[in-house]
Amino acid sequence: MIDPTDFERDCMNKALRPLGEYVAEIGADKAFQDLTREQVLTLIEVVVTAYMDELSKGESIEDFGEIPF
């Protein structure tokens, strides 16, 4: 992602909790290279799903400031 908006950054930050919960579930002490393929795919799914869920909540029109037309 190039130049994420503040809203997109906020969505990324909100995806950290589900990521942390999953990492704790599989073992935070595990090295990334020791994860199984399925664990890595699940990790990606958890992060993308959490991010997309936050994005779907959308920004309010007030977040854009004055509309120039």
Side-chain angles (χ1 to χ4, degrees):
M1 179 180 303
I2 298 172
D3 296 327
T5 66
D6 289 341
F7 176 67
E8 290 167 328
R9 280 194 177 96
D10 187 44
C11 291
M12 286 186 249
N13 280 316
K14 290 178 180 175
L16 291 175
R17 180 178 297 276
L19 170 62
E21 290 170 356
Y22 181 67
V23 168
E25 182 182 315
I26 61 175
D29 59 333
K30 278 188 173 180
F32 190 78
Q33 68 264 17
D34 294 334
L35 300 179
T36 66
R37 174 183 171 84
E38 192 61 36
Q39 288 170 324
V40 172
L41 291 173
T42 301
L43 182 128
I44 293 167
E45 181 182 349
V46 165
V47 171
V48 170
T49 299
Y51 177 72
M52 295 303 292
D53 286 348
E54 290 300 323
L55 276 180
S56 72
K57 294 176 183 176
E59 294 183 84
S60 72
I61 194 69
E62 291 81 28
D63 294 335
F64 291 103
E66 188 176 324
I67 297 175
F69 54 87

